[in-house]
């Protein structure tokens, strides 16, 4: 079964801490994404990557950065966590090729609480 | 700026009833309209999708109805079951493979036994 694995399901951090959210996919997908899910706001795209070492800003990149050193791994970094970054974070991937970019495979999510 | 508007935010339906979730979009460049289903503790997963060249697509108890002129599409769940209780997201995407998928705000559906 194909998988997108997010290393931490629940995290509690303090304001100002640096936070790393890790995501690994085993499908050899080219494209990887980080979304944030908040009630009433749906899924909002933070950053995405179409290739190793490439990154593109999504709709809400402020306060976040990403790293993609290997094809299978995409990390989301909160340089200095703030309380308004308390949320559910979802990683997803998709592949190039016919129709591939239309289908996102999501991980189970990482729920981050910033105190 | 919300490009895909989804309603209602929450919905309660009796078992065996029809669940209907509506979405509207603004960008006429969108040409792919998927629905994702998310169970508690899980990530969203693709449920069903439609392109604007057809007005309806049915897969089992799930049907997408599409109205291109009104820029609206909806998900109908026939004979709703408690196992259908989940959060549903409509979405839209443009033709280019580089185009991003834009999600609606989500609908939390509860099916009462």
């Amino acid at each position: 079964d194909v998988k997108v694995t997010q290393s931490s399901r629940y995290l509690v951090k303090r304001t100002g801490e640096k936070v790393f959210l890790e995501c690994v996919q085993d499908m050899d997908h080219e494209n990887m994404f980080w979304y944030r899910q908040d009630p009433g706001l749906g899924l909002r795209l933070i950053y995405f990557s179409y290739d190793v070492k490439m990154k593109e800003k999504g709709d809400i990149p402020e306060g976040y950065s990403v790293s993609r050193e290997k094809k299978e791994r995409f990390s989301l970094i909160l340089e200095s966590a703030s309380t308004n970054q308390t949320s559910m974070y979802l990683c997803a991937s998709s592949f190039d090729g016919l129709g591939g970019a239309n289908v996102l495979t999501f991980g189970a999510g990482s729920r981050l609480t910033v105190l | 700026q919300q490009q895909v508007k989804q309603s209602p935010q929450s919905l309660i339906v009796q078992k065996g009833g029809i669940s209907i979730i509506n979405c509207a979009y603004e960008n006429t460049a969108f040409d792919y309209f998927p629905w994702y289903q998310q169970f508690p503790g899980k990530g969203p997963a693709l449920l069903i999708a439609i392109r604007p060249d057809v007005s309806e697509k049915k897969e089992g108890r799930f049907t997408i109805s599409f109205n291109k002129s009104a820029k609206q599409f909806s998900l109908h769940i026939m004979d709703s079951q408690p196992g259908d209780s989940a959060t549903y997201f409509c979405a839209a995407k443009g033709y280019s493979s580089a185009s991003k998928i834009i999600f609606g705000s989500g609908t939390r559906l509860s099916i009462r036994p």
Side-chain angles (χ1 to χ4, degrees):
Chain A
D1 195 15
V2 295
K3 286 247 185 328
V4 175
T5 303
Q6 296 183 229
S7 56
S8 303
R9 292 299 305 273
Y10 300 95
L11 302 94
V12 180
K13 299 292 182 180
R14 296 202 176 275
T15 301
E17 280 193 82
K18 190 170 186 176
V19 182
F20 292 87
L21 299 179
E22 306 286 344
C23 175
V24 177
Q25 51 96 2
D26 64 0
M27 299 167 284
D28 201 35
H29 283 179
E30 292 81 6
N31 312 313
M32 297 189 74
F33 307 81
W34 275 105
Y35 287 87
R36 169 174 173 162
Q37 180 177 3
D38 299 289
L41 297 177
L43 305 174
R44 294 180 292 167
L45 182 62
I46 305 171
Y47 266 97
F48 59 104
S49 169
Y50 288 140
D51 201 351
V52 175
K53 298 197 184 290
M54 292 185 66
K55 59 184 179 182
E56 298 283 345
K57 291 181 179 180
D59 300 317
I60 53 166
E62 296 79 17
Y64 304 95
S65 62
V66 291
S67 172
R68 193 169 181 198
E69 296 295 320
K70 294 184 178 181
K71 186 177 184 180
E72 68 271 18
R73 188 180 297 271
F74 193 36
S75 302
L76 181 68
I77 303 159
L78 288 67
E79 292 289 342
S80 178
S82 63
T83 55
N84 63 11
Q85 293 179 308
T86 291
S87 186
M88 172 69 81
Y89 291 88
L90 290 163
C91 176
S93 69
S94 70
F95 65 93
D96 288 339
L98 186 63
N102 291 339
V103 181
L104 294 173
T105 301
F106 282 89
S110 298
R111 182 167 294 281
L112 171 67
T113 301
V114 183
L115 302 176
Chain B
Q1 181 182 356
Q2 191 174 6
Q3 296 191 52
V4 180
K5 295 183 178 180
Q6 182 172 348
S7 63
Q9 189 169 353
S10 63
L11 181 62
I12 299 174
V13 176
Q14 289 295 126
K15 178 182 176 182
I18 302 173
S19 303
I20 302 174
I21 304 171
N22 300 300
C23 286
Y25 64 98
E26 300 164 359
N27 189 343
T28 56
F30 289 147
D31 84 329
Y32 176 73
F33 301 89
W35 286 86
Y36 280 75
Q37 180 188 52
Q38 182 183 29
F39 292 108
K42 304 288 187 182
L46 179 65
L47 176 65
I48 187 173
I50 196 169
R51 291 198 180 275
D53 53 343
V54 296
S55 61
E56 185 176 281
K57 183 173 182 180
K58 184 175 181 180
E59 291 185 0
R61 296 183 294 107
F62 298 89
T63 300
I64 301 178
S65 296
F66 188 84
N67 186 329
K68 188 174 182 178
S69 60
K71 293 189 286 186
Q72 295 175 348
F73 58 110
S74 60
L75 177 69
H76 296 234
I77 306 174
M78 311 301 288
D79 187 26
S80 299
Q81 299 297 313
D84 297 330
S85 297
T87 299
Y88 292 81
F89 295 97
C90 63
K93 182 182 180 297
Y95 175 79
S96 165
S97 62
S99 177
K100 296 174 291 184
I101 295 178
I102 308 297
F103 288 89
S105 56
T107 297
R108 178 173 290 186
L109 174 65
S110 296
I111 307 300
R112 293 281 169 82

